[in-house]
Amino acid sequence: MTAIAVLLSFQLKADACTGITLRTTNGSPVTARTIEWAGNDLGSCYTIVPRGYSQRSYTSSGSKDGMMFTARYGYVGLAVEKEEFVVEGINESGLSAGLFYFPSYGEYESYNEAYKESTVSDLQLVSWILSNFQSINDMKKAMYNIHIVTLDPRGSTVHWRVTEPNGRQVVIEIVGKQLHFYENKLGVLTNSPGFNWHLTNLNNYTNLFAGPIYSREIGELTLTAFGGGGGLHGIPGDMTPPSRFVRAAFFQAASPKQATGEKAVMQAFHILNNFDIPIGIQFTEIQTVPDLPSATQWTVATDIANRRIYYRTMYNSTIRCIDLKAINFTKVKYRSAPLDKEKKQPVEMVNIGK
């Protein structure tokens, strides 16, 4: 399958990602997100990229004839469809980056073969960022000197978030062929419309709050809430990006700060349970539903301070971890391996004896 065909088949259907950011009691950030795809198994894998590893970007020509870039920093990434297409990762300096789909609202420049040596495909920008930078400011300066293109104009555009170890986070969008950087102090990201629109839309929900609704009197009647958490009654529950953004913002804000990165990671997985998309709801009655356990193919959380990336998949909800501190990025060889050794949920039988 050509790179363009892979990209197009992926981008036409993938339109749901939900990202949050938690902080520990000492302020260390933990980024977490889901990735959805209802069409087929993405064949996701992890990649270990050593310092000095060189790779060349694909371009709209369908070939690997774009920019050649060499890793100044080793990194670990999670990729989809092809091992070059890293959509979430962290490098050894602690810079974290991720790709989120942004259909209908982004617009890249057109591919110009004359600039192919400075051209990076949108699905390889995360790899370029992780390979080259340890700070957002250095990345921003360099991005004005490259050309970001899609592999096929029929596919969706994307936007990105990048997070430093100190917690600073930016969202990158290319709209009207122009780069835009937004400071993301909230730490939430989903998909279309644009990031600033989502922030403005939160003003529609100023009536929501964490906690119970207390009883009140209406004439001679006493009204009592049916259960706890009534302050969030009316929060949008559908799977569209605006609704997921609102839910993520309030769930994240209500989450108590954890003492350690590992505890914050576990909290992030619990929050993102609420954003799993059941397989089938994206299809009509006359469409064939793919044989997948879930439309949420995997969930990942990154403990930036401790340089650990955790993930679970639609096949196996066991949380697995890659520790960057255990990797010698000057000696390790480039490698790529499937996220799941076996695509089957392990079940532990409880031995209750006789």
Side-chain angles (χ1 to χ4, degrees), residues 13 34 46 67 96 99 109 144 167 206 210 221 261 267 270 323 346:
K13 295 180 183 176
T34 63
Y46 67 79
M67 178 191 287
S96 170
L99 172 157
E109 63 182 276
Y144 288 106
T206 55
L221 288 177
Q267 185 68 57
H270 283 297
D323 185 353

Side-chain angles (χ1 to χ4, degrees), residues 234-252:
I235 196 168
D238 61 82
M239 298 302 181
T240 62
S243 295
R244 287 185 283 106
F245 193 100
V246 173
R247 287 204 308 282
F250 280 94
F251 293 171
Q252 173 186 290

Side-chain angles (χ1 to χ4, degrees), residues 132-144:
N132 285 287
F133 306 104
Q134 56 182 342
S135 77
I136 288 171
N137 285 343
D138 288 345
M139 176 204 70
K140 287 175 66 173
K141 292 175 185 177
M143 284 191 70
Y144 288 106

Side-chain angles (χ1 to χ4, degrees), residues 163-240:
T163 310
E164 292 180 340
N166 62 13
R168 182 189 178 192
Q169 185 177 111
V170 296
V171 172
I172 305 166
E173 295 180 346
I174 303 175
V175 178
K177 303 182 181 181
Q178 299 296 314
L179 269 173
H180 299 272
F181 297 92
Y182 302 103
E183 297 290 330
N184 189 0
K185 296 181 180 180
L186 180 63
V188 172
L189 187 62
T190 57
N191 313 105
S192 301
F195 177 66
N196 271 347
W197 183 96
H198 284 291
L199 293 181
T200 301
N201 184 53
L202 284 176
N203 290 292
N204 285 315
Y205 300 94
T206 55
N207 59 301
L208 300 180
F209 58 91
I213 294 177
Y214 296 102
S215 60
R216 57 176 298 188
E217 304 296 327
I218 295 185
E220 295 183 2
L221 288 177
T222 299
L223 304 183
T224 304
F226 288 118
L232 291 179
H233 182 70
I235 196 168
D238 61 82
M239 298 302 181
T240 62

